[in-house]
Amino acid sequence: MEPPPPPTPTPTPTPVIPREAWEGCSVLLDINDGDRLAFFRLTAGATVKIGDKSCSLQPLVGRPFGSLFRVGPSGLVPCAAEAPSQDGNIQDGANGQAQDETRDNRSLVDNNTAQTLSSEDIEAMKREGASGDAIVEALIANSSTFGNKTVFSQEKYKLKKQKKYAPKVLLRRPTTRSICETYFKKYPARIGFMRVDTLSLLLSMANVGAYSDVLVVDMVGGLVAGAVAERLGGTGYVCSTYLGSTPSSIDIIKMYNLSGDMTSRIFQARLSDLCSLQNSGNAPSALSESIEGEVVKPGAVPDQSTLAQPVDAALPDENAQSTAAQPIDIEVTEPAMDEHLNRGDNSLSDCKGNNGTSMAPKSLRAGKAPSPERMKYWEEHGFSSLIVAAPGHEVESLVADLLPLLSYSAPFAIYHQHLQPLATCMHSLQVSKMAIGLQMIEPWLREYQVLPSRTHPHMQMNAFGGYILSGIRIHRPDPSNGE
């Protein structure tokens, strides 16, 4: 009689990212199709000020990411399912071909007499409870020149009035792309002027994938460390190293809504501690001593208090003044945003998604010190890849101490907004024969507007995305052994 087979171990279920917003999570609100971007944390008292109205964020709880809301008399109201927007789509109903436009705007004179609806009439409609869409329709009906405008001009007129009287709010999930684009739009210095395509190239060139041990030098507020942790998906480890005795700020990670398991795999360790493991039994590295005593120029690296601030990226518009000072909006500091986590709640309960999956716990913070066992593992096996984003620091000496911490054949990627520091570092690596496959690239990105009869590059674009130096670490020959 054969013995029964051993029981098959039950695989650990992979955490599922919730599709709906939940109480306590971070969200990105896109107001009026990108005119204003703001991060918020969904709490009982969280509000957003749109125009002259303060709206509670409670209607967002339990709603799927990607939901569209409008500002109603009582606050944010979900928009009914509508057909896809036909913005700019000028088609003939019979054959679907674009119709010829015979009208033009040559005879139109902007003398403020075309609109017969006064501001008092609009205020009266608001007091009677008229919706924003009704006000826009009334403005169109009372405009004496609307019918003489081209179809393109009519669409622009509708969009302008809709943004003023019927603003829309899009609920977006904070991801690496949305967080990077939001910071780059308004406060690029806080993330070292790193564009989203540059960040994606850093992750690809460093070969960041599942079950990787990634060494990160993140001096851009935690954007790179959070992007690496998001790509690892709770399978590998992220070690964010720093110079001196004070850890670098990585508060941007709080906006990622990482699960508890993913957050627990993000560590912070001093560079001197990591180098001491590598140099155990050997003479200390002279470069390590020089880096530890290096003095960073004031203003070269953004202050940690400013890196911790959320972002409210707003384009100049009619409501810019009314949305500048808000109590819970992006202009407040991160501690003020998180004070509700500790107010009257000393438990260690987790924030859970709609499926019960434990997301980022209230008491768990990214950036704890690694355990001795984990440090010993890194000493024996090395890190699988390296990413450096340290504006204001000397790249050459920093990389010279970081490369020995990698395993052989491990890729690395170094970002800097200036070319010369990377050129000097590249020459040093070539002379020392510590790496092969060295290449320096300048990311290039062009955004296009894609609309019928109006497809062209954006009129205003960012022409600079920094520089990236990449390569592969190899074994350095020892001249004393005749290699």
Side-chain angles (χ1 to χ4, degrees):
M1 182 175 179
E2 297 181 358
T8 304
T10 304
T12 304
T14 304
V16 179
I17 300 178
R19 296 176 180 269
E20 294 85 15
W22 66 95
E23 185 77 24
C25 74
S26 298
V27 297
L28 174 60
L29 299 186
D30 187 337
I31 303 174
N32 281 335
D33 194 21
D35 279 2
R36 179 178 163 214
L37 300 171
F39 290 104
F40 289 92
R41 197 176 296 277
L42 296 186
T43 60
T47 60
V48 56
K49 191 172 183 182
I50 304 175
D52 57 352
K53 180 175 292 187
S54 183
C55 305
S56 172
L57 297 182
Q58 281 302 299
L60 276 60
V61 177
R63 302 293 301 184
F65 288 104
S67 300
L68 190 63
F69 296 81
R70 61 179 177 85
V71 179
S74 59
L76 295 178
V77 180
C79 293
E82 300 176 354
S85 175
Q86 299 296 325
D87 179 24
N89 293 350
I90 310 167
Q91 295 183 347
D92 182 81
N95 52 20
Q97 298 296 326
Q99 64 183 13
D100 294 332
E101 180 62 60
T102 58
R103 291 170 295 183
D104 56 50
N105 300 329
R106 288 179 294 181
S107 61
L108 301 181
V109 180
D110 188 10
N111 52 11
N112 294 329
T113 60
Q115 182 58 249
T116 60
L117 197 66
S118 63
S119 58
E120 290 78 9
D121 298 332
I122 296 176
E123 292 299 328
M125 293 180 64
K126 290 182 178 180
R127 287 192 297 268
E128 294 172 0
S131 64
D133 294 332
I135 296 177
V136 174
E137 294 298 329
L139 289 170
I140 294 175
N142 288 272
S143 175
S144 60
T145 58
F146 183 81
N148 299 327
K149 294 182 178 180
T150 64
V151 179
F152 291 153
S153 297
Q154 290 178 354
E155 292 295 332
K156 292 174 65 177
Y157 181 86
K158 289 180 182 179
L159 182 61
K160 179 181 178 181
K161 298 304 179 183
Q162 178 265 322
K163 289 181 177 182
K164 184 175 182 180
Y165 297 105
K168 301 294 179 63
V169 179
L170 179 63
L171 176 63
R172 296 177 58 185
R173 183 197 306 274
T175 60
T176 297
R177 176 171 181 170
S178 61
I179 293 173
C180 183
E181 288 179 341
T182 302
Y183 270 90
F184 187 82
K185 191 173 186 179
K186 189 64 177 179
Y187 301 108
R190 296 183 184 176
I191 57 172
F193 299 91
M194 185 181 296
R195 211 166 51 192
V196 63
D197 60 313
T198 305
L199 180 57
S200 63
L201 279 175
L202 280 176
L203 299 178
S204 299
M205 291 183 170
N207 196 29
V208 177
Y211 302 99
S212 300
D213 289 339
V214 185
L215 179 61
V216 176
V217 182
D218 190 335
M219 303 292 181
V220 291
L223 179 65
V224 175
V228 172
E230 184 184 60
R231 175 167 290 195
L232 293 180
T235 58
Y237 292 92
V238 184
C239 180
S240 178
T241 185
Y242 56 92
L243 308 178
S245 58
T246 304
S248 304
S249 173
I250 56 174
D251 288 335
I252 293 181
I253 294 180
K254 299 176 184 178
M255 303 179 186
Y256 276 86
N257 290 330
L258 300 178
S259 65
D261 183 51
M262 296 169 68
T263 306
S264 64
R265 293 173 176 267
I266 303 176
F267 300 103
Q268 277 189 306
R270 290 190 303 175
L271 180 58
S272 58
D273 294 339
L274 295 176
C275 291
S276 64
L277 296 177
Q278 183 68 24
N279 298 326
S280 56
N282 300 328
S285 172
L287 288 175
S288 298
E289 297 176 357
S290 63
I291 292 180
E292 290 298 325
E294 180 181 352
V295 179
V296 182
K297 297 180 180 179
V301 181
D303 184 69
Q304 294 183 5
S305 61
T306 61
L307 284 172
Q309 292 180 0
V311 176
D312 188 357
L315 297 180
D317 59 6
E318 298 170 308
N319 300 327
Q321 297 297 329
S322 62
T323 59
Q326 303 183 28
I328 309 180
D329 210 340
I330 289 296
E331 296 299 332
V332 301
T333 59
E334 185 70 24
M337 219 178 144
D338 284 341
E339 61 184 4
H340 69 276
L341 297 179
N342 301 322
R343 187 187 301 132
D345 185 6
N346 295 325
S347 64
L348 301 182
S349 60
D350 293 353
C351 300
K352 296 183 180 295
N354 60 301
N355 57 354
T357 304
S358 174
M359 300 305 291
K362 296 180 180 181
S363 60
L364 186 59
R365 301 293 181 184
K368 63 180 181 181
S371 63
E373 293 78 10
R374 177 55 47 185
M375 294 284 285
K376 182 174 179 59
Y377 177 86
W378 288 334
E379 176 188 0
E380 296 175 353
H381 299 86
F383 292 92
S384 58
S385 58
L386 166 68
I387 299 179
V388 178
H393 290 271
E394 187 183 355
V395 179
E396 180 182 4
S397 58
L398 183 61
V399 173
D401 273 1
L402 290 171
L403 282 188
L405 302 176
L406 303 180
S407 59
Y408 295 129
S409 300
F412 61 88
I414 308 165
Y415 165 79
H416 206 281
Q417 66 265 40
H418 302 300
L419 177 62
Q420 186 57 42
L422 294 184
T424 305
C425 179
M426 182 176 183
H427 176 73
S428 176
L429 293 176
Q430 290 173 336
V431 172
S432 61
K433 299 181 180 180
M434 296 179 63
I436 60 173
L438 295 172
Q439 61 175 346
M440 192 182 313
I441 65 171
E442 179 183 1
W444 190 79
L445 177 69
R446 168 174 285 180
E447 296 186 55
Y448 273 77
Q449 170 185 291
V450 181
L451 290 173
S453 304
R454 290 180 291 166
T455 298
H456 57 76
H458 282 189
M459 304 305 294
Q460 294 182 348
M461 297 180 297
N462 181 271
F464 177 72
Y467 302 91
I468 297 178
L469 172 63
S470 62
I472 299 175
R473 191 244 170 157
I474 60 174
H475 174 66
R476 182 180 181 181
D478 189 358
S480 61
N481 295 334
E483 297 183 3

